[in-house]
Amino acid sequence: MITVKKILITGGAGFIGSHVVRRFVNNYPQYEIVNLDKLTYAGNLANLTDIENKPNYRFVKEDITDAQAIDELFKTENFDAVIHLAAESHVDRSISDPTAFVMTNVIGTVNLLNAARAYWKGSYDQKRFYHVSTDEVYGALGDEGMFTETTAYDPHSPYSASKASSDHFVRAYHDTYGMDCVISNCSNNYGSHHFPEKLIPLAINNIKNNKPVPVYGKGENVRDWLWVEDHARAIDVIFHNSKAGDTYNIGGHNEWKNIDLINLLCSIMDEKLGREKGESAKLITYVTDRAGHDLRYAIDSTKLQEQLDWVPSLQFEEGLAKTVDWYLQNEDWLTNVTSGNYQSYYEQQYSHK
Ligand code: NAD
Ligand code: TYD
């Protein structure tokens, strides 16, 4: 098991990052946690108000594409480890602006690897660079099969191509320079603090406001959904217990066709909002499909289960109901993130569909 004192977590103001920061700050009071985030549209310090005053937590506003700033930070801080989540993360945005994804996801990752390598000076005992990645690097499945750690990379969207590229760089730094690097590739997450451009929080927000719920194509694409706190727990277990150069797949064993998921969500929302059964489902609207839309993702996480004893903790119906409760109880959060630029993004993304 690795022993560290000070961890740099990047992207900690985002959806998954905020859950990882919260878990590490609360569960490891002996660690110093530095959260570095640029605070893009997806980064929100309101995600961390419950831990922001803890003595083992600090926030640094920085951009990982700024190599010089990242170098300076490594020179002045004494990081033992990096858990790297900062990224542009939305497939639809990557279709309209691929370059932003190359800059943050590829160049930003290489900047962090360079700074860590320069600072650690080739001595990686009790040092670790943990890269958080996605199952989308493996491409799309047909009706059968699952992604394993040895599935060949075959990304299709600019987002997944940029994440695949960053994974290759991380592996290259392990293979070439002997850096202690670990990668995990996770399936779709859901839970609290999820920005409402992604399917589940967008649908919750629209159902709540009686707006059309856009379903791409025929709604037959399949995703494997994992509760975000189970992902954060998997990152914790892998960070502490894996070997240098290891890769783990993380998934929910929980495949849903988009249309079935949306129907389930509508029935949960009917109940929570005191609506008549079937009322929310009337909002479902089929819209033009996403370009290059991957048909199916499914993760085989046997390695993680067998080697590190990790399994998902929540059934999907329970997790989805908890998620809906969180959004209904946190209206201010939702209003805050959907004001301003969100409206123009929504207009641009959905008006022509
Ligand atoms: P998110 O978009 O909610 O958060 C990303 C965070 O990174 C934001 O706080 C943003 O401000 C920050 N960021 C963006 N560009 C930056 C830059 N140049 N410098 C510093 N900070 C920057 O994303 P998420 O859904 O929480 O995903 C986090 C990570 O997990 C990503 O690497 C993503 O690829 C990966 N992942 C996500 C999922 C998912 O279902 N959301 C699944 C598997 C893996
Ligand atoms: P998303 O949450 O964007 O995650 P990803 O593309 O990374 O899997 O989308 C999940 C699925 O839902 C995907 O198949 C695309 C689909 N989708 C819709 O049908 N409508 C929407 O408005 C959005 C955002 C996604």
Side-chain angles (χ1 to χ4, degrees):
M1 178 158 167
I2 190 168
T3 316
V4 292
K5 290 194 196 80
K6 193 167 186 179
I7 307 176
L8 173 68
I9 300 184
T10 70
F15 166 47
I16 302 170
S18 63
H19 287 277
V20 173
V21 165
R22 178 175 300 100
R23 181 177 179 93
F24 274 73
V25 166
N26 285 334
N27 291 7
Y28 302 101
Q30 71 274 29
Y31 294 171
E32 257 184 84
I33 303 297
V34 176
N35 170 16
L36 178 153
D37 200 295
K38 182 184 172 184
L39 300 181
T40 65
Y41 76 94
N44 186 356
L45 288 178
N47 293 350
L48 291 164
T49 45
D50 55 327
I51 56 110
E52 67 188 2
N53 293 321
K54 295 257 179 162
N56 62 336
Y57 171 74
R58 205 147 47 82
F59 173 70
V60 176
K61 185 172 186 308
E62 201 51 80
D63 183 341
I64 58 169
T65 67
D66 184 341
Q68 208 182 332
I70 298 300
D71 268 351
E72 298 283 312
L73 190 74
F74 272 78
K75 277 185 200 138
T76 51
E77 306 277 350
N78 209 7
F79 298 128
D80 300 303
V82 178
I83 303 180
H84 175 38
L85 296 106
E88 288 292 341
S89 68
H90 189 36
V91 173
D92 292 326
R93 288 188 192 250
S94 81
I95 294 168
S96 11
D97 181 13
T99 308
F101 286 69
V102 176
M103 293 310 295
T104 288
N105 299 0
V106 186
I107 307 288
T109 301
V110 172
N111 286 342
L112 286 164
L113 286 164
N114 285 340
R117 180 173 166 242
Y119 178 69
W120 291 334
K121 296 193 178 73
S123 169
Y124 300 113
D125 183 38
Q126 304 304 317
K127 301 280 184 281
R128 175 147 285 178
F129 191 103
Y130 185 134
H131 179 60
V132 176
S133 193
T134 167
D135 61 354
E136 303 191 26
V137 298
Y138 298 123
L141 294 163
D143 293 338
E144 300 288 315
M146 288 181 139
F147 300 132
T148 71
E149 287 80 0
T150 56
T151 301
Y153 276 31
D154 183 22
H156 298 136
S157 72
Y159 164 66
S160 54
S162 69
K163 290 297 290 189
S165 172
S166 65
D167 291 12
H168 289 320
F169 272 103
V170 173
R171 277 198 190 98
Y173 275 59
H174 170 263
D175 296 349
T176 307
Y177 307 116
M179 188 184 275
D180 182 319
C181 297
V182 174
I183 301 177
S184 57
N185 297 84
C186 189
S187 62
N188 287 62
N189 285 212
Y190 72 95
S192 69
H193 305 89
H194 202 181
F195 192 79
E197 63 184 354
K198 307 277 169 68
L199 179 67
I200 291 180
L202 183 140
I204 293 174
N205 188 40
N206 286 16
I207 294 167
K208 177 171 161 278
N209 294 311
N210 270 309
K211 282 175 57 180
V213 178
V215 172
Y216 295 169
K218 294 183 179 151
E220 284 181 346
N221 304 70
V222 175
R223 298 291 182 263
D224 171 4
W225 294 95
L226 178 71
W227 189 41
V228 63
E229 293 189 34
D230 280 333
H231 187 189
R233 182 167 50 85
I235 290 172
D236 180 345
V237 169
I238 295 167
F239 174 78
H240 285 104
N241 299 294
S242 58
K243 295 192 303 289
D246 242 337
T247 293
Y248 286 89
N249 278 357
I250 311 170
H253 278 290
N254 179 42
E255 291 180 49
W256 285 78
K257 271 190 186 165
N258 290 340
I259 188 61
D260 296 339
L261 184 160
I262 293 299
N263 273 310
L264 171 64
L265 188 60
C266 285
S267 66
I268 294 173
M269 294 286 285
D270 280 344
E271 206 180 301
K272 303 272 180 199
L273 295 169
R275 290 182 184 167
E276 227 169 81
K277 222 170 163 208
E279 204 179 322
S280 298
K282 290 185 194 148
L283 298 166
I284 293 173
T285 309
Y286 291 96
V287 299
T288 312
D289 208 353
R290 172 186 280 171
H293 197 171
D294 286 338
L295 178 65
R296 175 173 163 256
Y297 303 142
I299 277 277
D300 179 348
S301 55
T302 309
K303 179 179 172 187
L304 180 57
Q305 182 175 345
E306 288 184 349
Q307 292 188 359
L308 302 180
D309 206 19
W310 175 95
V311 283
S313 72
L314 269 192
Q315 288 300 310
F316 190 49
E317 284 80 352
E318 185 189 348
L320 204 53
K322 258 170 103 108
T323 303
V324 169
D325 284 339
W326 186 85
Y327 280 92
L328 296 180
Q329 286 158 14
N330 288 275
E331 282 204 18
D332 288 353
W333 186 94
L334 205 47
T335 309
N336 185 31
V337 302
T338 52
S339 58
N341 289 342
Y342 181 79
Q343 300 303 337
S344 44
Y345 163 77
Y346 199 93
E347 193 55 27
Q348 198 191 341
Q349 176 65 24
Y350 293 98
S351 61
H352 56 280
K353 284 198 175 263

